Amino acid sequence: MNITRENIDALNAVVKVDIAKEDYSDKVEKILTDYRKTANIPGFRKGHVPMGMVKKQYGKAVLVDEVNKLLQDALNKYLTEEKLDVLGQPLPKAQEGIDWDAEAFSFEFELGLTPEFDVELKGKDAITQYNIVADDKMIDEQIENIQKQYGKLIPQDVIEEDSEITGTFKNEDKEIENTLTLTLDKLKGKANAKKFVGAKVGDVITLKTKGLYSDDHDLMHALKVSHDDVHGLDIEITFTISEVNKREAADLDQELFDKLFGEGTVKSVTELKEKIKEDAEKQFVQQADQKLLNDVTEYLVDNTKFDLPSEFLQKWIQAAGETPLDDAAAKEEFEKSEKSMRYQLIEGKLITANNIQITMDDIKDHAKTMIKAQMAQFGQLNPSDEELEGIAARVLGNQDEARRISEQIVSQKLLAVYKEKANLEVKEVTYENFVKEVYGDK
């Protein structure tokens, strides 16, 4: 067997594999001999079928199969030994017709080669690294929400502006009937809220869906209609009042503190504020880190310049898909995935340059941390190691889940590299201002 390579340019090459008779003849002969021992052909005893007949019936198929196996093994070995970084998979060049009666065969494969490039993390323009803080306004609002959540409900005769109102939205034509509890501050406009103030249990209020809520999603949940049906919905609905309550705020006392954080953890309003601030800012770190990860990714893709073997990759997309794609569809698919391909190559360079490695222990520890956090949300604060090990084993038994966790760990390790080596400018903001800057003032 002989393998040669012709480099077309820096990004494309053609590999030629020549297979001679001596490369496959012994294997083909052995397989046919085994076939002869087990072949069931009418008129012949098992194991006594003439070899000529076996070769005539099975020889071509066995030859094709063995040559293809040789070809794939040889090609994979060659790519490994030559340390060729290829994109996609080698693509066989079209051949008009292979003469399988010949003794020697030649096959050619197109290769898309990984481009050479350098990654520069420390750019000229600094990337913003947000430090999100919980300000007094946010902490006070959180305390107010806690007091409402743990407060007492006091029945009322008539609705006031701060009442909690339980009732049923109804429209027979649209088959809408949904019972819920609402507060007037969630409704859009003073006119809608005004219809409720002064009403009492048993009253029926007629409303229009258009302009009832600022957000269609709130209207969708209130009426229990589908996402498709809610957009542009402009009908009359009734709201029948079944219950009116006022929520008396819970006292900020030791009983409430213990309910929230466990006995003795928080002992004063000052400590409560500190605890709320601490917990909120821990959550903010995750959001700030994700924003930084996204921004550095965008920077790297936009500022790391290299060419790709685009024609080859479009051919590979055509060949690799479950359903055949024409040239136009393959080009469109390539253009949609090009940015992702570029980042994968950049990420690979960074992983190698910074010696980032992921062990099975890393994956297992990460899984156990995630599981422990999820269990804590349901009040299971101290699961045993044995319990965590068992759940983690089940989770990691799913290959997709194991891969997802591995990718999360890589992202965390890359984030640490970015924080150390990228040109970052720390900006302290409140959560409200962070949302305005990142997502717009909604």
Side-chain angles (χ1 to χ4, degrees):
M1 186 182 299
N2 186 42
I3 302 180
T4 55
R5 181 175 83 246
E6 178 188 359
N7 290 327
I8 307 302
D9 54 38
L11 298 174
N12 295 275
V14 173
V15 168
K16 184 180 180 184
V17 182
D18 295 318
I19 297 178
K21 183 177 180 180
E22 56 266 25
D23 296 321
Y24 62 81
S25 58
D26 288 348
K27 289 183 180 178
V28 169
E29 196 68 28
K30 182 180 184 307
I31 291 170
L32 291 174
T33 300
D34 290 340
Y35 271 26
R36 186 187 180 203
K37 293 175 183 176
T38 58
N40 249 329
I41 296 179
F44 296 95
R45 285 186 299 135
K46 194 172 183 179
H48 292 272
V49 180
M51 180 57 86
M53 185 174 287
V54 172
K55 286 184 178 180
K56 185 176 181 181
Q57 188 162 347
Y58 301 108
K60 188 70 64 69
V62 172
L63 172 65
V64 171
D65 190 44
E66 284 307 306
V67 167
N68 278 325
K69 285 180 184 175
L70 269 174
L71 195 55
Q72 290 305 318
D73 289 346
L75 194 56
N76 291 335
K77 186 179 178 183
Y78 176 79
L79 295 178
T80 302
E81 289 178 348
E82 294 292 312
K83 296 180 181 177
L84 287 176
D85 286 330
V86 298
L87 299 175
Q89 295 291 333
L91 292 177
K93 291 190 75 172
Q95 292 179 256
E96 283 194 6
I98 301 173
D99 180 10
W100 291 104
D101 292 323
E103 293 187 344
F105 308 98
S106 290
F107 302 91
E108 290 185 336
F109 292 85
E110 295 180 66
L111 303 182
L113 304 178
T114 300
E116 291 291 332
F117 61 92
D118 295 317
V119 180
E120 180 53 63
L121 270 175
K122 200 172 282 295
K124 180 181 176 182
D125 297 326
I127 298 169
T128 301
Q129 179 183 1
Y130 288 96
N131 177 28
I132 309 172
V133 297
D135 61 350
D136 291 341
K137 178 187 173 186
M138 181 180 198
I139 294 169
D140 289 341
E141 286 176 350
Q142 184 67 20
I143 290 174
E144 186 179 332
N145 289 334
I146 288 170
Q147 286 183 278
K148 284 182 179 179
Q149 182 182 348
Y150 287 89
K152 295 177 183 177
L153 284 178
I154 301 172
Q156 289 181 295
D157 294 327
V158 296
I159 295 174
E160 298 176 5
E161 288 186 355
D162 59 351
S163 297
E164 291 188 9
I165 309 144
T166 301
T168 303
F169 280 119
K170 195 169 185 179
N171 178 288
E172 290 185 2
D173 291 341
K174 294 289 184 180
E175 297 183 347
I176 293 170
E177 186 170 353
N178 184 51
T179 300
L180 77 163
T181 299
L182 58 81
T183 53
L184 297 183
D185 61 316
K186 298 297 183 184
L187 300 181
K188 181 181 179 182
K190 292 181 179 178
N192 285 319
K194 191 175 179 181
K195 291 183 180 182
F196 284 84
V197 176
K200 58 186 182 300
V201 171
D203 286 353
V204 178
I205 298 170
T206 301
L207 302 156
K208 284 188 174 293
T209 55
K210 187 175 182 181
L212 185 58
Y213 287 93
S214 297
D215 191 328
D216 278 348
H217 288 91
D218 291 333
L219 181 62
M220 181 176 76
H221 294 306
L223 304 184
K224 281 290 184 287
V225 294
S226 71
H227 193 276
D228 292 335
D229 290 339
V230 77
H231 292 301
L233 186 65
D234 186 6
I235 59 172
E236 274 195 352
I237 53 172
T238 60
F239 185 86
T240 303
I241 302 168
S242 58
E243 190 177 336
V244 180
N245 294 293
K246 185 171 185 176
R247 190 170 287 272
E248 184 182 81
D251 292 330
L252 295 175
D253 55 18
Q254 193 61 48
E255 183 182 354
L256 178 62
F257 302 155
D258 291 346
K259 276 184 185 176
L260 292 170
F261 304 108
E263 189 173 344
T265 303
V266 170
K267 297 177 182 177
S268 66
V269 173
T270 300
E271 288 183 11
L272 173 64
K273 289 184 176 183
E274 289 171 355
K275 181 66 174 169
I276 289 172
K277 180 178 175 67
E278 178 190 344
D279 290 349
E281 290 180 354
K282 280 180 182 177
Q283 294 180 17
F284 296 158
V285 168
Q286 294 177 2
Q287 294 184 58
D289 282 351
Q290 188 58 55
K291 172 62 176 166
L292 179 60
L293 199 59
N294 293 344
D295 288 347
V296 176
T297 298
E298 287 289 332
Y299 161 79
L300 290 171
V301 171
D302 290 343
N303 292 277
T304 308
K305 304 298 182 185
F306 54 85
D307 292 325
L308 289 171
S310 53
E311 279 188 37
F312 168 84
L313 288 169
Q314 288 173 50
K315 287 182 187 177
W316 174 69
I317 287 170
Q318 280 183 290
E322 291 182 7
T323 55
L325 297 177
D326 59 24
D327 291 346
K331 183 179 180 183
E332 182 182 351
E333 190 64 31
F334 168 72
E335 288 170 351
K336 284 195 292 187
S337 58
E338 181 180 1
K339 192 172 183 178
S340 174
M341 289 183 186
R342 288 182 176 277
Y343 182 66
Q344 284 177 7
L345 291 171
I346 294 167
E347 184 182 72
K349 281 266 186 182
L350 289 168
I351 288 170
T352 301
N354 293 281
N355 195 30
I356 292 174
Q357 298 177 8
I358 308 295
T359 67
M360 196 60 217
D361 285 340
D362 291 332
I363 296 172
K364 188 188 293 183
D365 289 344
H366 189 86
K368 286 163 70 173
T369 300
M370 286 172 50
I371 293 161
K372 195 171 182 179
Q374 289 169 358
M375 292 175 76
Q377 291 177 0
F378 296 97
Q380 295 175 266
L381 300 177
N382 295 301
S384 66
D385 285 341
E386 186 179 349
E387 190 176 6
L388 288 172
E389 285 280 349
I391 298 172
R394 289 197 295 274
V395 169
L396 297 178
N398 182 321
Q399 290 187 350
D400 290 338
E401 191 65 23
R403 182 169 57 251
R404 187 180 69 82
I405 290 172
S406 179
E407 289 169 355
Q408 287 178 350
I409 299 170
V410 169
S411 292
Q412 288 178 357
K413 289 179 180 282
L414 282 172
L415 185 65
V417 171
Y418 298 158
K419 287 181 177 180
E420 179 189 349
K421 298 183 178 181
N423 182 10
L424 305 179
E425 181 179 43
V426 177
K427 183 176 183 178
E428 186 173 289
V429 293
T430 64
Y431 183 71
E432 183 179 3
N433 287 336
F434 172 77
V435 171
K436 286 179 181 178
E437 285 192 30
V438 174
Y439 304 108
D441 189 2
K442 296 185 180 178

